[in-house]
Amino acid sequence: MGKLLCDSSTAVAETFQTSSPTVPLWEPKSAPLEAVDLVDQTSIIATNATWDDVIGLEEQQRRHLQRLHAKGVLWKHPEDESTSVVFRLSHGGEVSADGNCLFTASQKAMAREVDARELRRRTVRRFLEDLGSVGEEDREVINVAIRHMYSPDLRNGWGIHVVQEVKLLANKADREGLDSAIDELLQLGMQRELAAESIYKERCMPVIDGPSWAKYMLICGSLDDEYDIITLQYTEEGLLSVDENREGHAAAFGDDIAIECLATEFKREIYVVQAHGSDAMVDEENCVFFLPHRPRSEISGPPIFLFMKGTGWCGAGADHYEPLIAHPSSLVSQEKVAVVL
């Protein structure tokens, strides 16, 4: 699963822009470019699904993606336009929708011999290292973006989302004490969900800044996790539900911050290729678009491409990453490509 930020004219959405893929949280550092063999770095497994085999696509999406594959996309190095490659993009296969899909899809797209959990750890480590190098003002910008995503102001934002979520972290070692405190409120006559909301908000860690985001993003839904994710869902009328995640299987969905950290860790741009359906009220020519995430350092390798099937303009249903395999092609003319990145 993944979290994408949506465009809006409201104040809340404007603040979201601080973590938009096109507005980096940190300014990229200038550094000398490294020579790189693009073809060697994009050699991957030979067998990939064709777009005819990919489930869950509308016909206009499928046709557009097939055209992208046939004509290719042209990537030019942002700092050295003499370095350019035409890529044919093919689907890299389904990945499990277990909350780890950003990292699983990235591993497949890069053909790296590293598992999704290690990619998650490297992402968080990169985030913390970079967070420690920025000033107080930049750190607060990052904290504000995190709060808006995971601990939103429930007085605002209802023009953007019908349901808003608050994420809390419960230390696994505290579960027994949390349950006892909830039971005490139940004995006093409080409703179960209201009792759980009260105790979790009082005793659990909110995801509101860089350090708490790092703890959250490390959670992969395994028994080895230090924390369990508690999710409080709200509508404009109040509390809707409490997901107590008692089995501890919930994983932290990758977000734009995580993608930017991945890009920085591997010194490669990451493009999320988002395909929207007809309910997004876009025509076929505009139903697929590329969301770039630049590394905060030099770019020393070809881009990584991830796929996201969307159904609505604000990402309704668009919360699952799948790998795209980028095949460099010398058979496609740069003048006739489908997209120039």
Side-chain angles (χ1 to χ4, degrees):
M1 296 293 178
K3 183 185 285 291
L4 279 184
L5 308 182
C6 306
D7 294 331
S8 174
S9 60
T10 67
V12 172
E14 287 173 358
T15 309
F16 280 2
Q17 294 293 329
T18 57
S19 65
S20 166
T22 58
V23 184
L25 291 176
W26 291 275
E27 286 300 316
K29 301 174 183 176
S30 59
L33 299 177
E34 300 175 12
V36 59
D37 187 332
L38 296 173
V39 175
D40 283 351
Q41 289 207 14
T42 51
S43 59
I44 36 73
I45 55 175
T47 304
N48 305 115
T50 68
W51 288 111
D52 287 330
D53 299 325
V54 179
I55 62 174
L57 290 176
E58 295 182 4
E59 281 309 305
Q60 72 168 11
Q61 294 171 311
R62 199 181 306 277
R63 285 193 300 268
H64 193 99
L65 291 162
Q66 287 169 333
R67 191 158 61 248
L68 280 180
H69 178 77
K71 294 186 174 182
V73 299
L74 174 62
W75 175 76
K76 295 183 178 181
H77 196 298
E79 298 172 42
D80 179 12
E81 292 198 0
S82 65
T83 302
S84 61
V85 186
V86 175
F87 292 108
R88 295 177 183 268
L89 301 180
S90 61
H91 192 259
E94 298 288 334
V95 298
S96 177
D98 60 357
N100 295 294
C101 61
L102 169 63
F103 306 101
T104 307
S106 297
Q107 183 272 330
K108 289 191 174 185
M110 291 188 288
R112 289 269 175 172
E113 292 186 0
V114 56
D115 64 18
R117 188 179 301 186
E118 178 59 23
L119 278 184
R120 187 185 280 276
R121 284 194 289 263
R122 289 178 65 170
T123 297
V124 173
R125 184 171 65 242
R126 169 55 52 198
F127 172 81
L128 290 174
E129 288 178 2
D130 289 349
L131 184 68
S133 67
V134 302
E136 198 62 40
E137 185 176 342
D138 288 336
R139 188 176 291 110
E140 182 55 26
V141 169
I142 296 164
N143 291 341
V144 167
I146 290 168
R147 284 196 295 272
H148 279 313
M149 284 192 285
Y150 299 110
S151 189
D153 181 352
L154 297 175
R155 296 168 297 180
N156 299 303
W158 299 111
I160 306 170
H161 301 291
V162 177
V163 176
Q164 296 197 71
E165 293 185 346
V166 173
K167 297 291 186 182
L168 301 169
L169 305 182
N171 194 304
K172 288 180 181 290
D174 295 338
R175 271 293 194 176
E176 187 174 340
L178 292 170
D179 287 343
S180 296
I182 292 170
D183 287 340
E184 288 179 9
L185 293 183
L186 292 179
Q187 292 171 14
L188 294 174
M190 188 177 287
Q191 293 181 356
R192 169 74 200 188
E193 287 197 334
L194 293 177
E197 176 200 29
S198 175
I199 295 302
Y200 290 139
K201 289 179 72 173
E202 175 186 340
R203 302 193 182 189
C204 293
M205 180 188 302
V207 182
I208 57 173
D209 56 18
S212 56
W213 181 92
K215 290 181 172 63
Y216 168 76
M217 196 53 63
L218 278 175
I219 299 173
C220 64
S222 79
L223 294 175
D224 298 331
D225 293 330
E226 182 179 0
Y227 294 93
D228 287 332
I229 298 172
I230 306 294
T231 303
L232 308 180
Q233 287 195 328
Y234 293 89
T235 65
E236 197 167 1
E237 287 71 36
L239 181 67
L240 175 65
S241 67
V242 179
D243 182 354
E244 300 185 63
N245 185 25
R246 292 193 165 274
E247 300 300 321
H249 294 322
F253 300 164
D255 59 19
D256 288 326
I257 299 173
I259 299 175
E260 187 178 301
C261 291
L262 265 177
T264 303
E265 178 69 9
F266 291 96
K267 299 181 181 180
R268 297 166 68 177
E269 292 179 291
I270 297 179
Y271 286 88
V272 177
V273 183
Q274 188 153 347
H276 278 293
S278 57
D279 64 338
M281 296 184 291
V282 291
D283 57 29
E284 185 168 332
E285 287 304 312
N286 297 298
C287 72
V288 175
F289 53 92
F290 292 71
L291 300 176
H293 297 71
R294 294 270 179 90
R296 298 182 296 276
S297 59
E298 74 270 27
I299 295 172
S300 63
I304 301 161
F305 295 91
L306 302 174
F307 184 56
M308 182 176 277
K309 286 177 281 195
T311 57
W313 182 253
C314 272
D319 57 356
H320 180 63
Y321 295 101
E322 296 170 351
L324 289 177
I325 306 304
H327 306 270
S329 176
S330 59
L331 303 178
V332 179
S333 168
Q334 292 194 6
E335 289 72 34
K336 296 181 180 180
V337 296
V339 172
V340 177
L341 299 174

